[in-house]
Amino acid sequence: MPAPVPETLPPMPGQRLARGVARALRQFDFVSVEELVPTPGLRVDLMALGPKGQVWIIECKSSRTDYLTDRKWQGYLEWCDRFFWAVDGDFPTDLLPEGTGLILADAYDAEILRMGPDTPLPAARRKVMVQKFARHAAMRLQGYRDPGVAGLVDF
Amino acid sequence: MPAPVPETLPPMPGQRLARGVARALRQFDFVSVEELVPTPGLRVDLMALGPKGQVWIIECKSSRTDYLTDRKWQGYLEWCDRFFWAVDGDFPTDLLPEGTGLILADAYDAEILRMGPDTPLPAARRKVMVQKFARHAAMRLQGYRDPGVAGLVDF
């Protein structure tokens, strides 16, 4: 048994959902990053990359209001193979549009309830997205590994 | 001015060189990860990914002995567009083979002294390497962002 790690929950409800989804996706060999910008003006809560290069986008909605004030989600569809909402057990899922994936999540774990359609990205866009993912992950990682870099370059 | 970040030098001389190289490469819009495994049995000190998908491998050598005991470096050439050695100012660079790149580094910065040849990867291998880079970076990043994940999945 590894020693228990002190638990620090992310402060925002949406971030807690994202953490649980990111943990659960690792069971399917998907890795993920938070707050990736596929194109200026859009920022996804979680982008996941599968073992065969699959690109999934997961938007985390902590409440009815959080969902109803989101006017950008349809813009995400063209940047992924599959799109999911992640919500907690109290969320009124009847609100969510048909033809989208659904993940039930908390800060610790998550379960895919509905896959939604698979709309494969064109090869050129997949290549761009995998590279954006790689660059985003590496820059954030460097910020943790070498905190001093933050004063030297723009993140 | 950002507040100064407490400085923690990596413990090993090679890791200190890698940190300086990683910092310097950001000036050229290259991001990087440490200790990536391109194929079982090989582990590169630093793999860098450029803005156009360029793949560079940098092996950090802290001493003559460190270099002379490396029997694997030629195996790295087929996994990158460019290969570099990174050494400090005391290293006897005459030892290094022709036709390889050379970076002068310390823990804080680095300078490319010699580019070495550009031998572009086949497209299929580049795709594999960018995806390996992405997965490696995201897994390490998740370990920092969510330390509790370490007890749940294998890294």
Side-chain angles (χ1 to χ4, degrees):
Chain A
M1 287 281 289
V5 174
E7 183 66 274
T8 311
L9 279 176
M12 306 292 289
Q15 293 172 330
R16 293 198 283 271
L17 297 177
R19 192 185 79 163
V21 174
R23 286 185 176 190
L25 287 176
R26 289 292 300 276
Q27 298 163 21
F28 305 104
D29 206 14
F30 277 64
V31 296
S32 55
V33 294
E34 297 179 356
E35 299 188 350
L36 183 136
V37 175
T39 192
L42 289 183
R43 183 184 300 268
V44 309
D45 288 338
L46 202 66
M47 178 177 152
L49 179 65
K52 294 178 180 171
Q54 305 98 312
V55 175
W56 291 2
I57 287 176
I58 301 101
E59 282 300 294
C60 301
K61 294 299 171 195
S62 59
S63 68
R64 177 190 179 93
T65 304
D66 188 15
Y67 169 71
L68 292 174
T69 55
D70 183 345
R71 294 186 177 84
K72 291 188 172 176
W73 73 269
Q74 282 166 312
Y76 299 145
L77 299 178
E78 64 181 292
W79 301 98
C80 59
D81 301 314
R82 290 186 189 272
F83 177 85
F84 297 84
W85 303 103
V87 300
D88 69 17
D90 293 331
F91 189 93
T93 54
D94 289 350
L95 283 180
L96 299 173
E98 293 194 22
T100 53
L102 179 59
I103 297 175
L104 184 66
D106 62 20
Y108 302 92
D109 202 357
E111 184 182 352
I112 297 172
L113 296 187
R114 189 172 71 215
M115 284 294 277
D118 185 19
T119 53
L121 291 172
R125 179 160 288 189
R126 182 183 314 281
K127 185 176 164 185
V128 167
M129 290 304 287
V130 174
Q131 196 169 322
K132 276 182 195 279
F133 182 105
R135 292 178 60 82
H136 177 99
M139 281 191 267
R140 299 295 173 99
L141 174 63
Q142 190 179 13
Y144 281 104
R145 198 175 67 207
D146 176 13
V149 80
L152 305 174
V153 294
D154 294 328
F155 275 94
Chain B
M1 286 282 290
V5 173
E7 183 67 276
T8 311
L9 278 177
M12 305 291 288
Q15 293 172 329
R16 293 198 283 273
L17 298 177
R19 192 185 80 163
V21 175
R23 286 185 175 190
L25 288 175
R26 289 292 299 277
Q27 298 164 21
F28 304 104
D29 206 13
F30 277 65
V31 296
S32 55
V33 295
E34 296 179 357
E35 300 189 350
L36 183 135
V37 175
T39 192
L42 289 183
R43 181 183 301 268
V44 308
D45 288 338
L46 202 66
M47 177 178 152
L49 179 64
K52 296 178 179 172
Q54 305 99 311
V55 174
W56 292 2
I57 287 177
I58 301 101
E59 282 300 294
C60 300
K61 294 298 170 196
S62 59
S63 69
R64 176 189 180 92
T65 304
D66 188 14
Y67 169 71
L68 291 174
T69 54
D70 184 343
R71 294 186 177 85
K72 291 188 171 176
W73 73 270
Q74 282 166 311
Y76 299 145
L77 299 177
E78 63 181 294
W79 301 97
C80 59
D81 301 314
R82 290 186 189 273
F83 177 85
F84 297 86
W85 302 103
V87 300
D88 70 16
D90 293 331
F91 189 93
T93 54
D94 290 349
L95 284 180
L96 300 173
E98 292 196 20
T100 53
L102 178 58
I103 297 175
L104 184 66
D106 61 21
Y108 302 91
D109 201 357
E111 183 182 353
I112 297 173
L113 296 187
R114 188 172 71 216
M115 285 294 279
D118 185 19
T119 52
L121 291 172
R125 179 160 285 189
R126 183 183 313 282
K127 185 176 164 185
V128 167
M129 290 304 287
V130 174
Q131 194 169 325
K132 275 182 194 280
F133 182 104
R135 292 177 60 83
H136 178 101
M139 282 192 265
R140 300 294 172 98
L141 174 62
Q142 189 179 12
Y144 280 105
R145 199 175 66 210
D146 176 13
V149 82
L152 305 174
V153 293
D154 294 329
F155 275 92

